[in-house]
Amino acid sequence: MMARATLLAGLAVAASLATGSAAQSMTQAEVNDLLRATPEVYNGLFTAAIIKHIADSCPDSIDPPGKLARVAYFFGLYNKARALGPDRGQIEAFVEDEAEQERMRQLVFTYLRAADVDPMNEQAVCAYASDQIAEGSAIGKRLREK
């Protein structure tokens, strides 16, 4: 029994070390491609970007999720990304990359335009947010009207 426990502990350490070395062998470009290609992560970041755009556009009428909800949401996304192999620094570099942020901003704008919403028209964005809240959509469930 003791030998089995030692073997399992050894395998856990080996798996941990293997994951760490795999992440170290990934370039930042590979990490970026991996995170973009993982819907659970990228769609989550996309949803957060839409909510941020709405909250920034509608500070007088729409409340974003509270701080605890945001922390829990991003921690969940971080854990999903981390399980793919990249280390914390690589994940942060991806999220903080200016070109990646611009790419996401353009995706948000494209999404809103497809919904017949001018992303630069605050009144239109706020009306869209109110509609999403009323519909109880995935985005609407995370927002609150003031």
Side-chain angles (χ1 to χ4, degrees), residues 91-142:
I91 294 167
E92 287 176 0
F94 172 75
V95 172
E96 294 172 5
D97 181 76
E98 288 183 27
E100 193 58 45
Q101 289 177 6
E102 180 58 28
R103 176 191 189 108
M104 186 63 72
R105 188 172 11 267
Q106 292 308 314
L107 289 172
V108 167
F109 286 6
T110 299
Y111 174 85
L112 289 171
R113 286 184 187 114
D116 292 325
V117 176
D118 177 355
M120 301 310 290
N121 180 323
E122 289 182 5
Q123 186 175 4
V125 172
C126 298
Y128 172 78
S130 292
D131 290 346
Q132 294 300 301
I133 292 168
E135 290 174 18
S137 72
I139 293 168
K141 288 179 182 178
R142 291 183 166 83

Side-chain angles (χ1 to χ4, degrees), residues 71-92:
V71 168
Y73 183 79
F74 283 112
F75 190 65
L77 288 178
Y78 170 79
N79 284 336
K80 289 174 186 175
R82 189 72 178 90
L84 299 170
D87 63 33
R88 179 180 177 173
Q90 291 171 314
I91 294 167
E92 287 176 0

Side-chain angles (χ1 to χ4, degrees), residues 11-30:
L11 289 174
V13 169
S16 170
L17 292 174
T19 301
S21 64
Q24 301 236 343
S25 66
M26 293 174 69
T27 66
Q28 188 63 49
E30 291 170 328

Side-chain angles (χ1 to χ4, degrees), residues 6 16 24 34 43 45 48 53 56 72 79 83 94 98 102 134 144:
T6 303
S16 170
Q24 301 236 343
L34 173 67
N43 291 348
L45 292 172
H53 182 72
D56 289 349
N79 284 336
F94 172 75
E98 288 183 27
E102 180 58 28
R144 300 282 178 263

